[in-house]
Amino acid sequence: MADRRGDVMGGEGVLHFGLGAFHRAHQAVYTHLAGDDWGVCAVAPRSAGVVEALRAQGHRYNVLVREHDRAWTEPVTAIRRTLHAPTQRAEVIARLADPATRVVTLTITEKAYADTSHGAPVRLLADGLAARAAAGGPPLAVVCCDNLPGNGPATRRAVLTACDDRTAAWVADDVAFPATVVDRIVPATSPADHALAAELAGAPDGAAVVAEPYRMWVLQDHFPGGRPGWERAGALFTDDVARHERAKIRVLNGVHSALAYAGALTGHDRIDQALDDPALAAFAESLAHRDVLPTLDPPPGTDLGEYAATVLRRMRNPALGHRCAQVAADGSLKVPIRLLGTVRERLAAGAEPRWAGLAVAAWLRHVVTGTADDGRPVEVTDPSAARLRELARGEPARHLDALLGADDVFGHDLPHERRFTDLLRADLRAMARHGAGELIRKELTL
């Protein structure tokens, strides 16, 4: 048995779903730096490539930390076992049922929480919890590390939806779902990053990931089966996660998304290049300070103006090479979380959401037209792209009412908010005539 922060007798202790770059640069780093006997058994829901790379090098890998012209590697040894869910389903369920598993963490992307089909991570988690319940297993915590508002309760709802009645009753009594906020910019690892990591570490590393120096993790301390001492690695435990969450999602994620769409439309490949454009830098500042910050209640000890400045400094880091296309992906799922909450609160305060509205217009033009201001195609990855393009019939300004009917994005309220819809329509018309860049420059001179 483990106490609140105790050891797990040499086992992995943490079972993680989602063996992508973010987990390897974030939660696994915290577990490594905690310095106790907890380790991670990491499950890849789809691709076997990272599993094979980690197994080939004894599950040791490096985080390549890059900041402007500086770079260094940090070895990570927290991952001790890997499983490939499509070919090792029984083993994953057995790990969930094993009393030695005390914490389950998830980085499966926002869209995965609505997917309970066979083979999906939430379905696999529910089946494993059913096995644990049937065996009379001890309590545990399930920790969402994705950017969902109220991610603890949201994950609880998703899991209960996937469970049968008997398992749901056990989950209600014996499984905790602490809310969390995660933050670290982790771009896709390029071949050049792999080469640099190998040079700095002195050996090839097929599982290396690249990240900025900054990292943050805020959690509710609700772990009935014990947990690693993540606070020793800098994690913050608090009962007031919500204010941290709103600040991070609206400032960092919201501004990041706005820059990704505006940057792609104006011909920029990377986020730092977009911020080198004076008009887009001023747009990001205006969005953060005029629309986002007025909607936030600062967490204790946090200066939101300084936080916003820190966020923009981090985004300017050219060594990360963070592509607009990567940040822009899945906008139909991200925009409601990252931008539309700001829109709603500005409207409720009697204010015009000028800059948040412009960001939403940039997303709509990006996903519907798929072209930059100069006519070149832009990379669009969005599960709703085909549906939205059909609704818009190629002209988002003329068919905005049809687009606003996508209530999974805009809800039932925003289509009736004339201050917002008139703003969107005018912005989309201006972008169609003169381009997003010209519209942004014009607005910044008002």
Side-chain angles (χ1 to χ4, degrees), residues 346-391:
R346 294 297 281 155
L347 291 169
E352 179 187 69
R354 178 72 206 94
W355 306 102
L358 199 156
V360 176
W363 165 65
L364 280 171
R365 180 160 180 81
H366 178 274
V367 71
V368 168
T369 69
T371 55
D373 291 350
D374 62 6
R376 288 182 295 174
V378 297
E379 183 179 336
V380 177
T381 304
D382 193 301
S384 295
R387 173 171 60 106
L388 294 171
R389 287 170 179 171
E390 184 176 352
L391 290 171

mmCIF file of all heavy atoms in Angstrom, residues 346-391:
data_model
loop_
_atom_site.group_PDB
_atom_site.id
_atom_site.type_symbol
_atom_site.label_atom_id
_atom_site.label_comp_id
_atom_site.label_asym_id
_atom_site.label_seq_id
_atom_site.Cartn_x
_atom_site.Cartn_y
_atom_site.Cartn_z
ATOM 1 N N ARG A 346 -17.390 38.676 -22.911
ATOM 2 C CA ARG A 346 -17.311 40.067 -23.346
ATOM 3 C C ARG A 346 -18.701 40.583 -23.731
ATOM 4 O O ARG A 346 -19.078 41.715 -23.403
ATOM 5 C CB ARG A 346 -16.345 40.220 -24.521
ATOM 6 C CG ARG A 346 -14.908 39.934 -24.152
ATOM 7 C CD ARG A 346 -14.385 40.910 -23.113
ATOM 8 N NE ARG A 346 -14.027 42.194 -23.704
ATOM 9 C CZ ARG A 346 -14.005 43.341 -23.039
ATOM 10 N NH1 ARG A 346 -14.354 43.377 -21.775
ATOM 11 N NH2 ARG A 346 -13.632 44.453 -23.651
ATOM 12 N N LEU A 347 -19.474 39.748 -24.404
ATOM 13 C CA LEU A 347 -20.847 40.138 -24.737
ATOM 14 C C LEU A 347 -21.679 40.344 -23.483
ATOM 15 O O LEU A 347 -22.439 41.317 -23.377
ATOM 16 C CB LEU A 347 -21.492 39.068 -25.622
ATOM 17 C CG LEU A 347 -20.942 38.930 -27.043
ATOM 18 C CD1 LEU A 347 -21.495 37.669 -27.705
ATOM 19 C CD2 LEU A 347 -21.276 40.165 -27.888
ATOM 20 N N ALA A 348 -21.537 39.443 -22.509
ATOM 21 C CA ALA A 348 -22.302 39.558 -21.268
ATOM 22 C C ALA A 348 -21.945 40.830 -20.508
ATOM 23 O O ALA A 348 -22.785 41.389 -19.780
ATOM 24 C CB ALA A 348 -22.064 38.337 -20.386
ATOM 25 N N ALA A 349 -20.702 41.297 -20.680
ATOM 26 C CA ALA A 349 -20.262 42.522 -20.017
ATOM 27 C C ALA A 349 -20.661 43.778 -20.795
ATOM 28 O O ALA A 349 -20.314 44.891 -20.399
ATOM 29 C CB ALA A 349 -18.749 42.496 -19.821
ATOM 30 N N GLY A 350 -21.373 43.590 -21.909
ATOM 31 C CA GLY A 350 -21.781 44.728 -22.725
ATOM 32 C C GLY A 350 -20.711 45.240 -23.650
ATOM 33 O O GLY A 350 -20.832 46.345 -24.204
ATOM 34 N N ALA A 351 -19.638 44.468 -23.837
ATOM 35 C CA ALA A 351 -18.518 44.893 -24.671
ATOM 36 C C ALA A 351 -18.533 44.165 -26.013
ATOM 37 O O ALA A 351 -19.068 43.055 -26.129
ATOM 38 C CB ALA A 351 -17.196 44.619 -23.956
ATOM 39 N N GLU A 352 -17.955 44.783 -27.007
ATOM 40 C CA GLU A 352 -17.798 44.134 -28.303
ATOM 41 C C GLU A 352 -16.529 43.273 -28.270
ATOM 42 O O GLU A 352 -15.442 43.784 -27.999
ATOM 43 C CB GLU A 352 -17.662 45.175 -29.408
ATOM 44 C CG GLU A 352 -17.479 44.552 -30.796
ATOM 45 C CD GLU A 352 -17.183 45.598 -31.864
ATOM 46 O OE1 GLU A 352 -16.083 46.178 -31.828
ATOM 47 O OE2 GLU A 352 -18.058 45.825 -32.714
ATOM 48 N N PRO A 353 -16.637 41.981 -28.560
ATOM 49 C CA PRO A 353 -15.446 41.116 -28.550
ATOM 50 C C PRO A 353 -14.652 41.282 -29.847
ATOM 51 O O PRO A 353 -14.508 40.359 -30.642
ATOM 52 C CB PRO A 353 -16.044 39.714 -28.434
ATOM 53 C CG PRO A 353 -17.361 39.818 -29.122
ATOM 54 C CD PRO A 353 -17.864 41.209 -28.848
ATOM 55 N N ARG A 354 -14.097 42.478 -30.044
ATOM 56 C CA ARG A 354 -13.497 42.826 -31.335
ATOM 57 C C ARG A 354 -12.416 41.848 -31.752
ATOM 58 O O ARG A 354 -12.383 41.378 -32.882
ATOM 59 C CB ARG A 354 -12.899 44.253 -31.248
ATOM 60 C CG ARG A 354 -12.207 44.684 -32.547
ATOM 61 C CD ARG A 354 -13.274 44.952 -33.608
ATOM 62 N NE ARG A 354 -12.828 44.781 -34.964
ATOM 63 C CZ ARG A 354 -12.957 43.655 -35.673
ATOM 64 N NH1 ARG A 354 -13.420 42.556 -35.131
ATOM 65 N NH2 ARG A 354 -12.609 43.627 -36.936
ATOM 66 N N TRP A 355 -11.498 41.555 -30.854
ATOM 67 C CA TRP A 355 -10.318 40.782 -31.234
ATOM 68 C C TRP A 355 -10.583 39.286 -31.180
ATOM 69 O O TRP A 355 -10.104 38.540 -32.040
ATOM 70 C CB TRP A 355 -9.143 41.201 -30.357
ATOM 71 C CG TRP A 355 -8.973 42.682 -30.435
ATOM 72 C CD1 TRP A 355 -9.361 43.618 -29.526
ATOM 73 C CD2 TRP A 355 -8.462 43.408 -31.558
ATOM 74 N NE1 TRP A 355 -9.117 44.883 -29.990
ATOM 75 C CE2 TRP A 355 -8.560 44.786 -31.240
ATOM 76 C CE3 TRP A 355 -7.921 43.039 -32.785
ATOM 77 C CZ2 TRP A 355 -8.136 45.788 -32.105
ATOM 78 C CZ3 TRP A 355 -7.481 44.030 -33.651
ATOM 79 C CH2 TRP A 355 -7.596 45.379 -33.307
ATOM 80 N N ALA A 356 -11.376 38.846 -30.220
ATOM 81 C CA ALA A 356 -11.757 37.434 -30.193
ATOM 82 C C ALA A 356 -12.643 37.111 -31.389
ATOM 83 O O ALA A 356 -12.532 36.041 -31.998
ATOM 84 C CB ALA A 356 -12.486 37.107 -28.886
ATOM 85 N N GLY A 357 -13.525 38.050 -31.755
ATOM 86 C CA GLY A 357 -14.361 37.836 -32.931
ATOM 87 C C GLY A 357 -13.538 37.751 -34.203
ATOM 88 O O GLY A 357 -13.807 36.916 -35.085
ATOM 89 N N LEU A 358 -12.518 38.600 -34.314
ATOM 90 C CA LEU A 358 -11.652 38.553 -35.486
ATOM 91 C C LEU A 358 -10.906 37.219 -35.558
ATOM 92 O O LEU A 358 -10.730 36.655 -36.648
ATOM 93 C CB LEU A 358 -10.673 39.726 -35.449
ATOM 94 C CG LEU A 358 -9.990 40.107 -36.765
ATOM 95 C CD1 LEU A 358 -9.555 41.561 -36.727
ATOM 96 C CD2 LEU A 358 -8.792 39.233 -37.062
ATOM 97 N N ALA A 359 -10.509 36.700 -34.398
ATOM 98 C CA ALA A 359 -9.837 35.398 -34.370
ATOM 99 C C ALA A 359 -10.775 34.292 -34.851
ATOM 100 O O ALA A 359 -10.367 33.380 -35.590
ATOM 101 C CB ALA A 359 -9.332 35.093 -32.958
ATOM 102 N N VAL A 360 -12.045 34.345 -34.440
ATOM 103 C CA VAL A 360 -13.017 33.346 -34.891
ATOM 104 C C VAL A 360 -13.230 33.466 -36.397
ATOM 105 O O VAL A 360 -13.323 32.460 -37.114
ATOM 106 C CB VAL A 360 -14.347 33.497 -34.123
ATOM 107 C CG1 VAL A 360 -15.390 32.529 -34.666
ATOM 108 C CG2 VAL A 360 -14.131 33.252 -32.629
ATOM 109 N N ALA A 361 -13.314 34.689 -36.906
ATOM 110 C CA ALA A 361 -13.459 34.887 -38.351
ATOM 111 C C ALA A 361 -12.262 34.314 -39.103
ATOM 112 O O ALA A 361 -12.416 33.691 -40.171
ATOM 113 C CB ALA A 361 -13.620 36.373 -38.659
ATOM 114 N N ALA A 362 -11.063 34.509 -38.554
ATOM 115 C CA ALA A 362 -9.867 33.956 -39.196
ATOM 116 C C ALA A 362 -9.937 32.440 -39.243
ATOM 117 O O ALA A 362 -9.553 31.815 -40.251
ATOM 118 C CB ALA A 362 -8.617 34.416 -38.450
ATOM 119 N N TRP A 363 -10.428 31.821 -38.156
ATOM 120 C CA TRP A 363 -10.580 30.359 -38.175
ATOM 121 C C TRP A 363 -11.579 29.932 -39.250
ATOM 122 O O TRP A 363 -11.305 29.004 -40.023
ATOM 123 C CB TRP A 363 -11.047 29.839 -36.814
ATOM 124 C CG TRP A 363 -11.538 28.431 -36.916
ATOM 125 C CD1 TRP A 363 -10.800 27.319 -37.241
ATOM 126 C CD2 TRP A 363 -12.879 27.978 -36.773
ATOM 127 N NE1 TRP A 363 -11.612 26.198 -37.290
ATOM 128 C CE2 TRP A 363 -12.886 26.574 -37.000
ATOM 129 C CE3 TRP A 363 -14.079 28.611 -36.448
ATOM 130 C CZ2 TRP A 363 -14.048 25.814 -36.926
ATOM 131 C CZ3 TRP A 363 -15.241 27.849 -36.363
ATOM 132 C CH2 TRP A 363 -15.219 26.464 -36.610
ATOM 133 N N LEU A 364 -12.727 30.599 -39.326
ATOM 134 C CA LEU A 364 -13.734 30.214 -40.315
ATOM 135 C C LEU A 364 -13.190 30.346 -41.729
ATOM 136 O O LEU A 364 -13.393 29.463 -42.570
ATOM 137 C CB LEU A 364 -14.989 31.069 -40.151
ATOM 138 C CG LEU A 364 -15.944 30.651 -39.035
ATOM 139 C CD1 LEU A 364 -17.018 31.709 -38.833
ATOM 140 C CD2 LEU A 364 -16.577 29.290 -39.344
ATOM 141 N N ARG A 365 -12.490 31.438 -42.010
ATOM 142 C CA ARG A 365 -11.924 31.593 -43.361
ATOM 143 C C ARG A 365 -10.875 30.520 -43.621
ATOM 144 O O ARG A 365 -10.812 29.940 -44.716
ATOM 145 C CB ARG A 365 -11.319 32.984 -43.532
ATOM 146 C CG ARG A 365 -10.732 33.174 -44.920
ATOM 147 C CD ARG A 365 -10.573 34.617 -45.304
ATOM 148 N NE ARG A 365 -10.000 34.724 -46.647
ATOM 149 C CZ ARG A 365 -10.676 34.603 -47.777
ATOM 150 N NH1 ARG A 365 -11.979 34.381 -47.734
ATOM 151 N NH2 ARG A 365 -10.084 34.707 -48.953
ATOM 152 N N HIS A 366 -10.061 30.224 -42.625
ATOM 153 C CA HIS A 366 -9.020 29.207 -42.759
ATOM 154 C C HIS A 366 -9.627 27.848 -43.075
ATOM 155 O O HIS A 366 -9.219 27.179 -44.036
ATOM 156 C CB HIS A 366 -8.222 29.167 -41.453
ATOM 157 C CG HIS A 366 -7.136 28.139 -41.402
ATOM 158 N ND1 HIS A 366 -7.359 26.831 -41.017
ATOM 159 C CD2 HIS A 366 -5.808 28.214 -41.667
ATOM 160 C CE1 HIS A 366 -6.228 26.165 -41.049
ATOM 161 N NE2 HIS A 366 -5.270 26.974 -41.442
ATOM 162 N N VAL A 367 -10.617 27.416 -42.314
ATOM 163 C CA VAL A 367 -11.139 26.064 -42.473
ATOM 164 C C VAL A 367 -12.041 25.932 -43.696
ATOM 165 O O VAL A 367 -12.075 24.878 -44.340
ATOM 166 C CB VAL A 367 -11.881 25.614 -41.188
ATOM 167 C CG1 VAL A 367 -13.198 26.335 -40.992
ATOM 168 C CG2 VAL A 367 -12.113 24.103 -41.190
ATOM 169 N N VAL A 368 -12.755 27.013 -44.040
ATOM 170 C CA VAL A 368 -13.704 26.928 -45.149
ATOM 171 C C VAL A 368 -13.020 27.111 -46.501
ATOM 172 O O VAL A 368 -13.271 26.356 -47.440
ATOM 173 C CB VAL A 368 -14.840 27.959 -44.967
ATOM 174 C CG1 VAL A 368 -15.663 28.093 -46.256
ATOM 175 C CG2 VAL A 368 -15.736 27.548 -43.808
ATOM 176 N N THR A 369 -12.151 28.108 -46.619
ATOM 177 C CA THR A 369 -11.538 28.378 -47.923
ATOM 178 C C THR A 369 -10.243 27.606 -48.132
ATOM 179 O O THR A 369 -9.900 27.265 -49.268
ATOM 180 C CB THR A 369 -11.251 29.877 -48.100
ATOM 181 O OG1 THR A 369 -10.196 30.265 -47.217
ATOM 182 C CG2 THR A 369 -12.490 30.705 -47.818
ATOM 183 N N GLY A 370 -9.493 27.378 -47.048
ATOM 184 C CA GLY A 370 -8.224 26.668 -47.181
ATOM 185 C C GLY A 370 -7.193 27.405 -48.008
ATOM 186 O O GLY A 370 -6.281 26.780 -48.560
ATOM 187 N N THR A 371 -7.311 28.731 -48.093
ATOM 188 C CA THR A 371 -6.358 29.509 -48.891
ATOM 189 C C THR A 371 -5.878 30.709 -48.093
ATOM 190 O O THR A 371 -6.623 31.317 -47.319
ATOM 191 C CB THR A 371 -6.988 30.015 -50.206
ATOM 192 O OG1 THR A 371 -8.166 30.760 -49.906
ATOM 193 C CG2 THR A 371 -7.335 28.852 -51.115
ATOM 194 N N ALA A 372 -4.613 31.091 -48.331
ATOM 195 C CA ALA A 372 -4.036 32.274 -47.703
ATOM 196 C C ALA A 372 -4.433 33.519 -48.478
ATOM 197 O O ALA A 372 -5.056 33.447 -49.551
ATOM 198 C CB ALA A 372 -2.514 32.133 -47.661
ATOM 199 N N ASP A 373 -4.060 34.675 -47.956
ATOM 200 C CA ASP A 373 -4.388 35.939 -48.614
ATOM 201 C C ASP A 373 -3.853 36.010 -50.031
ATOM 202 O O ASP A 373 -4.462 36.641 -50.902
ATOM 203 C CB ASP A 373 -3.809 37.114 -47.813
ATOM 204 C CG ASP A 373 -4.509 37.328 -46.476
ATOM 205 O OD1 ASP A 373 -5.558 36.695 -46.232
ATOM 206 O OD2 ASP A 373 -3.994 38.131 -45.664
ATOM 207 N N ASP A 374 -2.718 35.377 -50.273
ATOM 208 C CA ASP A 374 -2.115 35.437 -51.614
ATOM 209 C C ASP A 374 -2.600 34.321 -52.532
ATOM 210 O O ASP A 374 -2.079 34.153 -53.638
ATOM 211 C CB ASP A 374 -0.591 35.415 -51.515
ATOM 212 C CG ASP A 374 -0.063 34.136 -50.872
ATOM 213 O OD1 ASP A 374 -0.861 33.205 -50.602
ATOM 214 O OD2 ASP A 374 1.159 34.058 -50.632
ATOM 215 N N GLY A 375 -3.591 33.565 -52.097
ATOM 216 C CA GLY A 375 -4.170 32.519 -52.928
ATOM 217 C C GLY A 375 -3.543 31.153 -52.792
ATOM 218 O O GLY A 375 -4.054 30.172 -53.344
ATOM 219 N N ARG A 376 -2.445 31.054 -52.062
ATOM 220 C CA ARG A 376 -1.813 29.755 -51.878
ATOM 221 C C ARG A 376 -2.636 28.893 -50.926
ATOM 222 O O ARG A 376 -3.258 29.403 -49.999
ATOM 223 C CB ARG A 376 -0.396 29.915 -51.346
ATOM 224 C CG ARG A 376 0.599 30.452 -52.353
ATOM 225 C CD ARG A 376 1.997 30.533 -51.742
ATOM 226 N NE ARG A 376 2.034 31.502 -50.647
ATOM 227 C CZ ARG A 376 3.098 31.691 -49.854
ATOM 228 N NH1 ARG A 376 4.189 30.952 -50.024
ATOM 229 N NH2 ARG A 376 3.054 32.599 -48.901
ATOM 230 N N PRO A 377 -2.633 27.570 -51.115
ATOM 231 C CA PRO A 377 -3.379 26.716 -50.196
ATOM 232 C C PRO A 377 -2.714 26.668 -48.830
ATOM 233 O O PRO A 377 -1.490 26.775 -48.716
ATOM 234 C CB PRO A 377 -3.338 25.330 -50.873
ATOM 235 C CG PRO A 377 -2.131 25.372 -51.761
ATOM 236 C CD PRO A 377 -1.998 26.798 -52.212
ATOM 237 N N VAL A 378 -3.527 26.526 -47.778
ATOM 238 C CA VAL A 378 -3.012 26.336 -46.432
ATOM 239 C C VAL A 378 -3.419 24.943 -45.964
ATOM 240 O O VAL A 378 -4.395 24.370 -46.423
ATOM 241 C CB VAL A 378 -3.539 27.406 -45.452
ATOM 242 C CG1 VAL A 378 -3.080 28.778 -45.859
ATOM 243 C CG2 VAL A 378 -5.052 27.355 -45.340
ATOM 244 N N GLU A 379 -2.622 24.422 -45.063
ATOM 245 C CA GLU A 379 -2.863 23.073 -44.545
ATOM 246 C C GLU A 379 -4.002 23.116 -43.526
ATOM 247 O O GLU A 379 -3.921 23.828 -42.530
ATOM 248 C CB GLU A 379 -1.579 22.556 -43.887
ATOM 249 C CG GLU A 379 -1.659 21.127 -43.375
ATOM 250 C CD GLU A 379 -0.346 20.679 -42.757
ATOM 251 O OE1 GLU A 379 0.708 21.258 -43.124
ATOM 252 O OE2 GLU A 379 -0.372 19.771 -41.904
ATOM 253 N N VAL A 380 -5.058 22.352 -43.791
ATOM 254 C CA VAL A 380 -6.220 22.320 -42.905
ATOM 255 C C VAL A 380 -6.451 20.892 -42.431
ATOM 256 O O VAL A 380 -6.598 19.979 -43.241
ATOM 257 C CB VAL A 380 -7.493 22.833 -43.606
ATOM 258 C CG1 VAL A 380 -8.710 22.709 -42.685
ATOM 259 C CG2 VAL A 380 -7.308 24.280 -44.057
ATOM 260 N N THR A 381 -6.448 20.716 -41.109
ATOM 261 C CA THR A 381 -6.750 19.417 -40.509
ATOM 262 C C THR A 381 -7.844 19.649 -39.484
ATOM 263 O O THR A 381 -7.596 20.213 -38.413
ATOM 264 C CB THR A 381 -5.509 18.824 -39.813
ATOM 265 O OG1 THR A 381 -4.438 18.744 -40.740
ATOM 266 C CG2 THR A 381 -5.817 17.427 -39.276
ATOM 267 N N ASP A 382 -9.059 19.266 -39.831
ATOM 268 C CA ASP A 382 -10.189 19.525 -38.939
ATOM 269 C C ASP A 382 -11.268 18.476 -39.216
ATOM 270 O O ASP A 382 -11.662 18.283 -40.376
ATOM 271 C CB ASP A 382 -10.751 20.931 -39.185
ATOM 272 C CG ASP A 382 -11.693 21.378 -38.091
ATOM 273 O OD1 ASP A 382 -12.705 20.687 -37.866
ATOM 274 O OD2 ASP A 382 -11.430 22.402 -37.445
ATOM 275 N N PRO A 383 -11.779 17.814 -38.186
ATOM 276 C CA PRO A 383 -12.797 16.781 -38.425
ATOM 277 C C PRO A 383 -14.090 17.323 -38.996
ATOM 278 O O PRO A 383 -14.881 16.567 -39.571
ATOM 279 C CB PRO A 383 -13.019 16.178 -37.030
ATOM 280 C CG PRO A 383 -12.569 17.224 -36.067
ATOM 281 C CD PRO A 383 -11.447 17.937 -36.752
ATOM 282 N N SER A 384 -14.328 18.634 -38.860
ATOM 283 C CA SER A 384 -15.569 19.233 -39.368
ATOM 284 C C SER A 384 -15.354 20.036 -40.645
ATOM 285 O O SER A 384 -16.267 20.731 -41.089
ATOM 286 C CB SER A 384 -16.185 20.141 -38.298
ATOM 287 O OG SER A 384 -16.594 19.398 -37.171
ATOM 288 N N ALA A 385 -14.175 19.951 -41.244
ATOM 289 C CA ALA A 385 -13.880 20.796 -42.406
ATOM 290 C C ALA A 385 -14.863 20.557 -43.547
ATOM 291 O O ALA A 385 -15.413 21.513 -44.112
ATOM 292 C CB ALA A 385 -12.447 20.563 -42.872
ATOM 293 N N ALA A 386 -15.104 19.308 -43.895
ATOM 294 C CA ALA A 386 -15.997 19.021 -45.025
ATOM 295 C C ALA A 386 -17.406 19.519 -44.746
ATOM 296 O O ALA A 386 -18.062 20.109 -45.620
ATOM 297 C CB ALA A 386 -15.999 17.522 -45.315
ATOM 298 N N ARG A 387 -17.890 19.312 -43.534
ATOM 299 C CA ARG A 387 -19.238 19.760 -43.175
ATOM 300 C C ARG A 387 -19.350 21.284 -43.230
ATOM 301 O O ARG A 387 -20.317 21.836 -43.766
ATOM 302 C CB ARG A 387 -19.585 19.254 -41.774
ATOM 303 C CG ARG A 387 -20.888 19.793 -41.199
ATOM 304 C CD ARG A 387 -21.248 19.065 -39.911
ATOM 305 N NE ARG A 387 -20.243 19.218 -38.885
ATOM 306 C CZ ARG A 387 -20.387 19.995 -37.809
ATOM 307 N NH1 ARG A 387 -21.497 20.690 -37.639
ATOM 308 N NH2 ARG A 387 -19.437 20.068 -36.893
ATOM 309 N N LEU A 388 -18.355 21.971 -42.684
ATOM 310 C CA LEU A 388 -18.400 23.433 -42.682
ATOM 311 C C LEU A 388 -18.279 23.999 -44.091
ATOM 312 O O LEU A 388 -18.936 24.988 -44.437
ATOM 313 C CB LEU A 388 -17.291 23.982 -41.789
ATOM 314 C CG LEU A 388 -17.436 23.658 -40.293
ATOM 315 C CD1 LEU A 388 -16.172 24.057 -39.538
ATOM 316 C CD2 LEU A 388 -18.652 24.361 -39.699
ATOM 317 N N ARG A 389 -17.477 23.364 -44.929
ATOM 318 C CA ARG A 389 -17.343 23.838 -46.309
ATOM 319 C C ARG A 389 -18.644 23.640 -47.079
ATOM 320 O O ARG A 389 -19.026 24.481 -47.909
ATOM 321 C CB ARG A 389 -16.195 23.106 -47.000
ATOM 322 C CG ARG A 389 -14.834 23.561 -46.506
ATOM 323 C CD ARG A 389 -13.702 22.699 -47.004
ATOM 324 N NE ARG A 389 -12.428 23.202 -46.505
ATOM 325 C CZ ARG A 389 -11.277 22.570 -46.632
ATOM 326 N NH1 ARG A 389 -11.228 21.388 -47.249
ATOM 327 N NH2 ARG A 389 -10.168 23.102 -46.140
ATOM 328 N N GLU A 390 -19.329 22.544 -46.785
ATOM 329 C CA GLU A 390 -20.616 22.318 -47.447
ATOM 330 C C GLU A 390 -21.632 23.364 -47.005
ATOM 331 O O GLU A 390 -22.395 23.888 -47.821
ATOM 332 C CB GLU A 390 -21.122 20.911 -47.110
ATOM 333 C CG GLU A 390 -22.412 20.550 -47.821
ATOM 334 C CD GLU A 390 -22.845 19.127 -47.544
ATOM 335 O OE1 GLU A 390 -22.072 18.371 -46.922
ATOM 336 O OE2 GLU A 390 -23.960 18.774 -47.955
ATOM 337 N N LEU A 391 -21.636 23.692 -45.729
ATOM 338 C CA LEU A 391 -22.556 24.715 -45.230
ATOM 339 C C LEU A 391 -22.255 26.088 -45.836
ATOM 340 O O LEU A 391 -23.165 26.856 -46.145
ATOM 341 C CB LEU A 391 -22.462 24.801 -43.704
ATOM 342 C CG LEU A 391 -23.019 23.630 -42.901
ATOM 343 C CD1 LEU A 391 -22.654 23.770 -41.432
ATOM 344 C CD2 LEU A 391 -24.540 23.544 -43.068
#
